[in-house]
Amino acid sequence: MGLAQVPCIRPWLLRRLGLNADVHNGHIKRITDIDVQSLVLELLSSNVSTTWITCPSEKKQVLGIKLPFLVMIVKNLKKYFTFEIQVIDDKNVRRRFRASNYQTATRVKPFICTMPLRLDDGWNQVQFNLSDFVRRAYGTNYVETLRITVHANCRLRRIYFADRLYSEEEVPHEFKLYVPVRKPPQEVEHPVMAVPVPAAAPPPVPPAAAPPAQPPPAGAQAEPVREAA
């Protein structure tokens, strides 16, 4: 799998790798985002041009990443936001691509191409085919990425490069848009077996009453009962 992460964009490496950043009228800090339950990097400012982070930190350094697909996992804060990628083509010319959510039209100039960026609410996965952009804008071939700069206002979870676009099932958890959260075990309802209750015995039937004695027919004489001596 061809994946290359921009290391200094990762929040916990912000200071350790000496990331070049600038902050005015805002902040850059790590926070825990409740939607993804993970540490992310938040860039906030009243002016997008005065608060940014860039990689690599030194101006003379370059990333040298040749993978053509850029993937950025970013949260829409419903504020102005822009980022910029600097590449070099097979004519050895450095080109810049700048995407902004406040721009409405694409403009191509000799050394910079600006384009609109549409973000949905919440977290987004922004995918850039740099090879296609270079070819369509300048008619040249993409060679490698030199630098990436992210301005306020946004929250960053991950930025990485790939040789192609991968599905969510193919990438590791740290490269996913949303990390699957383990659900607590649900209670399983066991079926309750009904125990048959024996039916109550029917009440005893009272004995039938003896039929009344029939009177002797007319003209018949009753035989006297003789007592034993």
Side-chain angles (χ1 to χ4, degrees):
M1 179 182 296
L3 297 176
Q5 186 171 346
V6 181
C8 57
I9 299 297
R10 295 179 63 182
W12 61 276
L13 290 175
L14 183 60
R15 292 184 179 178
R16 184 180 301 177
L17 297 183
L19 173 67
N20 190 3
D22 195 14
V23 181
H24 293 285
N25 301 322
H27 66 253
I28 300 176
K29 64 181 180 180
R30 285 193 308 172
I31 65 169
T32 300
D33 187 87
I34 60 175
D35 292 336
V36 294
Q37 293 296 314
S38 174
L39 285 173
V40 298
L41 196 63
E42 181 180 75
L43 293 82
L44 280 179
S45 177
S46 58
N47 189 342
V48 296
S49 63
T50 60
T51 298
W52 46 265
I53 55 175
T54 187
C55 179
S57 58
E58 299 295 332
K59 292 183 178 181
K60 295 182 179 181
Q61 295 177 340
V62 296
L63 289 174
I65 296 177
K66 298 183 181 299
L67 300 175
F69 288 92
L70 167 70
V71 181
M72 176 185 300
I73 302 178
V74 59
K75 188 172 188 178
N76 182 9
L77 299 182
K78 297 182 179 180
K79 298 177 181 292
Y80 289 156
F81 164 63
T82 182
F83 70 94
E84 184 177 297
I85 307 162
Q86 186 182 47
V87 303
I88 191 169
D89 61 13
D90 59 352
K91 301 295 184 181
N92 203 30
V93 178
R94 298 190 177 198
R95 319 279 191 180
R96 289 183 296 156
F97 292 89
R98 181 183 300 164
S100 310
N101 64 352
Y102 50 83
Q103 190 165 339
T104 58
T106 300
R107 298 182 178 89
V108 180
K109 297 181 180 180
F111 301 106
I112 185 171
C113 174
T114 59
M115 63 191 74
L117 173 67
R118 180 186 174 276
L119 295 176
D120 295 329
D121 292 341
W123 284 94
N124 293 257
Q125 187 180 70
V126 180
Q127 300 172 345
F128 267 66
N129 186 343
L130 296 171
S131 180
D132 183 61
F133 285 168
V134 172
R135 182 173 59 254
R136 292 170 59 184
Y138 299 104
T140 56
N141 296 317
Y142 166 82
V143 175
E144 66 181 28
T145 299
L146 304 179
R147 177 176 297 275
I148 181 169
T149 303
V150 180
H151 293 256
N153 295 273
C154 69
R155 288 183 183 178
L156 284 176
R157 171 172 167 77
R158 196 72 58 186
I159 297 178
Y160 64 91
F161 290 80
D163 59 339
R164 63 176 178 88
L165 294 179
Y166 290 86
S167 63
E168 284 286 303
E169 292 76 17
E170 294 179 294
V171 297
H173 287 322
E174 59 268 21
F175 292 90
K176 293 180 183 292
L177 179 60
Y178 288 101
V179 176
V181 179
R182 293 184 178 179
K183 297 182 179 180
Q186 299 180 353
E187 296 182 357
V188 179
E189 296 183 359
H190 298 281
V192 179
M193 299 185 63
V195 179
V197 178
V205 179
Q214 298 293 331
Q221 295 182 358
E223 183 178 357
V225 179
R226 296 180 180 179
E227 295 182 359

